[in-house]
Amino acid sequence: HVPASAAADEGKCDASSDDLHSWTSASFEYEADFSAPGPLKRLHDRLMCAICGRPMVEPKRAPCGHKMCAACWPKILPAQKACPTCAAQVSEETLATETDSTLLAMLGDLVVLCPNYLCDWAGPRASIDDHLRTCALFPCPSKGACTWQGRRAQR
């Protein structure tokens, strides 16, 4: 991958469009306002991580049944060792990958916006990787210092 300074000199980035993003709850901008009151509020609350307050990404389930983002649990477990919802004992070893297909489908169906502000695509969260592979306004997939952003044809 060309360093940011070299990429800027060439106006290009050599990161592969096949590089997959590591998604966290903060990665997504949602079309819906999850804080708005209304009939869907209770349903939206069930999709939220009690740690980050956003829709769960790769949910992990504690023995007590509460679910949080896989990336959020490690933020609290070293110090707290308890579920933030009910205070039941939790450890990294007792967490299980969520297998509730209905919950996972609902999370995947949430409408998200393309992370590239130049693109107006909005679609199901489960399709974001597919969209980014073909987005004409492709953001650099690198986790490094590269800030390249532009049209795929310019890469």
Side-chain angles (χ1 to χ4, degrees), residues 45-134:
D45 288 347
R46 292 176 189 234
L47 302 177
M48 298 300 170
C49 172
I51 299 170
C52 69
R54 297 180 52 88
M56 291 179 283
V57 174
E58 298 177 5
K60 293 277 191 172
R61 183 182 59 254
C64 60
H66 291 114
K67 304 160 187 83
M68 316 305 165
C69 299
C72 290
W73 278 109
K75 294 175 186 174
I76 66 157
L77 283 182
Q80 192 169 326
K81 302 222 182 287
C83 174
T85 303
C86 70
Q89 292 283 336
V90 179
S91 69
E92 191 73 39
E93 297 78 34
T94 62
L95 295 175
T97 300
E98 182 54 56
T99 58
D100 179 341
S101 59
T102 302
L103 173 68
L104 296 174
M106 288 189 312
L107 288 165
D109 287 343
L110 292 173
V111 176
V112 296
L113 307 178
C114 180
N116 187 328
Y117 72 94
L118 297 171
C119 178
D120 62 1
W121 179 87
R125 189 171 87 176
S127 300
I128 191 71
D129 284 324
D130 291 337
H131 165 70
L132 289 177
R133 284 186 188 99
T134 60

